Amino acid sequence: MEVIVLLLGILGLGTGAGALVIRNLYYICQPSEVLIFAGTTTKTADRKRVGYRLVKGGSSIRVPLLEQTFRMDLTNIIIELKVANAYSKGGIPLTVEGVANIKVAGEEPTIHNAIERLLGKSRKEIEQFAKETLEGNLRGVLASLTPEQVNEDKLAFAKSLLDEAEEDLEKLGLILDNLQIQNISDEVGYLDSLGRQQQADLIRDARIAEAEAKSASMIQDAENEKVTALRRIARDVEIAKAQAERRVQDALTKRVAVVAEVEAEIAAEVVRRQAEVSVQKERIKQAEQQLQADVVAPAEADSKRAIARAKGEASQIVEDGKAQAEGIRSLAESWQAAGDSAKDIFLFQKLDVLMKTMAAAVPDVAVQNVTVVDAKGGGSAAKIASFLEQLRQTTGMDLSGVVNNLTGNGLENGSAHPLNPQPIAQELPPTPAADATTDYALLHLEVKQLLDKLVQNRATPPEAEKAVARSIERYPKFKNRLKRAFHTGGEETLRAIFTHPLIHIPMSMVESWLDED
């Protein structure tokens, strides 16, 4: 029994020792890694002796105390590359972005470089080594290529980079599985300008090709249309020839009938016109006779009557002129014969008319006192003075001043007033003592005498207006009196002065004449 227990104990110890050996000394190598047992000397494929042995994709037992085991990962490492401001051939700085896939070499003899340089390094450190190496190689490749070459053929650029970096990576024990260039750019816009130029060239080529295609199509269309048009024209020509021939035949057929019809119409028209000629001749004779009776004969009679009337009126004017001239001559002879008394005699002759005019213009007055002057003892002068004094006291009008102006100012000036038909009648301006009503009456009398004279001379309305305008223009005193009457009494007073039964002078014309300087 004790022997069995002992055997079981020995067996258990053996089992425990075996399990411990398997656990600590037996190593299994995965396919994505390599086991390095350092401590024993082995020969490589190129007959070099190294102080380690390699196990890849299998298992092995580590010799206790003599060997030490290391693991090296052979899985893929992805490295993102970015090189900024790397100068290309020509001095253009470029920025290149790419992705590289590397791994630790698993085959001899490269794996020995990896063991010597990368054993004990972490994946980050291995990645950093590879990145710096690739970026250096990338800058070297860019320096040998122009931007156009880099941009136009990225595959060739990546191949050049692989060829450049493969040797350097192999020295590190690394293998570059893949390299992709993702982006190439520059900060100065050189590649953009190249792109725009290429795009413009493409657009230009496309437009040229499109234009050439359209041109060829248009030429072909025009050729087709030309052929079609020529055929259409030829057809139309044939149709036109046929229609013209038919119309010619129709015209030849109708010509005889039309000529006969026209000749018949012309013959009928000639007969009708000949018949109308005789009728028109009779109408002309009748019209001439009616014109002679209705127009010519009355016109000749009116002409004879007008000539006779004109002769009679001319004779009357001549006789009136002769009589007036004879009266003026007799008046002048009487004036000379009377000597110094001629003035008094003339005043006595005109005094009656003057008194009637002034009496008609003077309104009813109330007599305050009467002054009696003995006229028996004196002569004619005393009687006139008595009458003038009585008139001045009753009416307030100084007739002696009026007479003085009449006999002194007018005759001394020696110019006959155009409004008075008598050659010796003078202009009678109002004196400061005369009443405005008396001056209105005198103005009306003078205007009436001028208008009466114009009526006798058979003056037309335009001629009468011109005569009045000339009188106002030539005699300033007469014009001033009219202005004074207009400013004092207004348009109604002016209209009363120019009132005449046969001649009408518009007040607007009179006002315009008075406004003229």
Side-chain angles (χ1 to χ4, degrees):
M1 187 69 179
E2 294 178 356
V3 174
I4 295 173
V5 173
L6 178 64
L7 291 175
L8 290 176
I10 294 171
L11 181 62
L13 290 173
T15 303
L20 179 63
V21 170
I22 293 172
R23 179 181 180 86
N24 293 320
L25 300 178
Y26 187 75
Y27 289 89
I28 298 175
C29 180
Q30 296 180 3
S32 61
E33 64 179 1
V34 62
L35 290 177
I36 303 168
F37 293 91
T40 60
T41 303
T42 60
K43 290 183 180 180
T44 63
D46 56 355
R47 312 305 294 178
K48 290 182 179 180
R49 297 183 68 84
V50 294
Y52 54 85
R53 60 185 179 90
L54 299 176
V55 177
K56 179 182 178 183
S59 60
S60 180
I61 297 175
R62 178 175 62 87
V63 178
L65 301 176
L66 297 179
E67 292 182 339
Q68 185 176 358
T69 305
F70 298 95
R71 291 180 182 273
M72 183 172 287
D73 192 1
L74 300 181
T75 58
N76 188 40
I77 301 174
I78 299 175
I79 300 175
E80 293 183 359
L81 301 177
K82 182 175 181 182
V83 177
N85 294 326
Y87 286 90
S88 63
K89 187 177 180 180
I92 304 299
L94 300 178
T95 299
V96 179
E97 296 179 0
V99 176
N101 294 322
I102 65 171
K103 70 183 185 67
V104 176
E107 302 295 334
E108 295 183 1
T110 309
I111 192 172
H112 299 293
N113 295 333
I115 292 172
E116 292 177 0
R117 294 172 175 81
L118 302 178
L119 185 61
K121 302 292 184 181
S122 64
R123 289 180 62 86
K124 286 291 184 181
E125 293 175 337
I126 296 173
E127 181 180 346
Q128 185 65 30
F129 291 154
K131 181 176 181 181
E132 291 178 356
T133 302
L134 289 174
E135 287 181 352
N137 294 326
L138 182 58
R139 290 180 182 273
V141 173
L142 287 176
S144 63
L145 298 176
T146 62
E148 290 85 352
Q149 294 173 339
V150 173
N151 187 54
E152 289 175 359
D153 194 353
K154 294 182 180 180
L155 293 178
F157 171 62
K159 186 175 183 302
S160 300
L161 182 58
L162 285 172
D163 296 338
E164 182 74 18
E166 186 175 4
E167 183 178 358
D168 294 338
L169 291 176
E170 186 177 352
K171 291 179 180 180
L172 294 175
L174 298 175
I175 297 176
L176 180 59
D177 288 339
N178 187 18
L179 176 63
Q180 295 292 332
I181 303 299
Q182 294 179 334
N183 185 28
I184 300 174
S185 62
D186 67 308
E187 296 182 357
V188 297
Y190 184 80
L191 295 177
D192 292 338
S193 62
L194 290 178
R196 286 195 297 269
Q197 182 178 359
Q198 293 175 356
Q199 185 178 4
D201 293 338
L202 292 175
I203 294 174
R204 180 198 61 193
D205 296 338
R207 289 180 178 176
I208 291 174
E210 183 180 1
E212 290 176 352
K214 287 184 178 179
S215 176
S217 176
M218 292 175 65
I219 292 173
Q220 186 62 37
D221 293 341
E223 188 68 23
N224 296 334
E225 290 180 359
K226 181 183 74 172
V227 174
T228 305
L230 290 175
R231 293 177 180 176
R232 189 185 303 112
I233 291 172
R235 183 197 62 191
D236 294 341
V237 168
E238 295 298 329
I239 294 173
K241 287 181 180 180
Q243 292 178 351
E245 186 68 22
R246 186 176 63 254
R247 286 196 294 268
V248 169
Q249 295 298 328
D250 294 341
L252 292 176
T253 304
K254 294 179 181 178
R255 182 181 63 180
V256 177
V258 172
V259 169
E261 184 179 358
V262 171
E263 288 178 350
E265 291 179 356
I266 292 174
E269 185 68 18
V270 169
V271 173
R272 186 173 62 83
R273 293 297 182 184
Q274 289 176 352
E276 289 181 355
V277 168
S278 59
V279 176
Q280 294 297 332
K281 288 181 179 179
E282 293 299 328
R283 288 181 180 177
I284 291 173
K285 291 181 181 179
Q286 183 180 0
E288 289 178 350
Q289 293 175 359
Q290 185 175 359
L291 181 64
Q292 182 69 24
D294 295 343
V295 179
V296 177
E300 291 178 350
D302 292 341
S303 176
K304 292 178 181 180
R305 285 196 298 272
I307 292 172
R309 184 169 61 252
K311 289 181 179 180
E313 292 177 354
S315 300
Q316 182 179 0
I317 293 172
V318 171
E319 293 300 327
D320 292 343
K322 290 180 179 180
Q324 186 175 3
E326 185 64 27
I328 293 172
R329 188 181 301 107
S330 301
L331 181 60
E333 293 176 355
S334 301
W335 190 286
Q336 293 177 358
D340 298 335
S341 300
K343 185 187 298 184
D344 296 336
I345 295 173
F346 177 76
L347 289 177
F348 286 142
Q349 291 176 354
K350 300 298 182 180
L351 188 61
D352 182 52
V353 178
L354 182 62
M355 292 298 103
K356 289 180 179 180
T357 301
M358 290 189 295
V362 176
D364 295 337
V365 297
V367 178
Q368 295 180 356
N369 55 6
V370 177
T371 302
V372 180
V373 179
D374 187 7
K376 293 182 179 181
S380 298
K383 294 178 180 180
I384 292 173
S386 175
F387 173 74
L388 294 178
E389 178 63 22
Q390 293 176 11
L391 183 63
R392 185 185 65 79
Q393 292 184 1
T394 57
T395 64
M397 182 174 62
D398 188 3
L399 187 58
S400 61
V402 177
V403 174
N404 288 332
N405 292 331
L406 178 64
T407 58
N409 298 336
L411 293 176
E412 289 174 1
N413 293 336
S415 59
H417 195 281
L419 301 181
N420 196 336
Q422 300 297 332
I424 61 174
Q426 305 297 323
E427 185 179 358
L428 300 175
T431 61
D435 188 80
T437 305
T438 305
D439 192 42
Y440 299 163
L442 293 176
L443 286 173
H444 175 67
L445 179 61
E446 294 175 7
V447 173
K448 183 176 181 301
Q449 289 178 357
L450 173 61
L451 298 180
D452 290 341
K453 185 64 177 179
L454 294 175
V455 172
Q456 293 177 3
N457 294 335
R458 298 182 181 277
T460 61
E463 293 175 350
E465 294 172 0
K466 291 181 180 179
V468 175
R470 284 196 301 270
S471 300
I472 294 175
E473 181 181 359
R474 292 176 58 187
Y475 297 97
K477 292 184 179 180
F478 178 63
K479 183 177 181 180
N480 293 333
R481 292 169 60 199
L482 289 175
K483 280 186 176 182
R484 191 180 302 113
F486 175 67
H487 292 321
T488 303
E491 185 177 347
E492 295 297 330
T493 302
L494 202 62
R495 184 178 290 105
I497 293 173
F498 282 88
T499 299
H500 193 271
L502 299 178
I503 295 179
H504 173 69
I505 303 298
M507 292 298 101
S508 59
M509 289 187 177
V510 177
E511 294 177 7
S512 64
W513 297 334
L514 296 179
D515 291 337
E516 294 178 357
D517 295 334

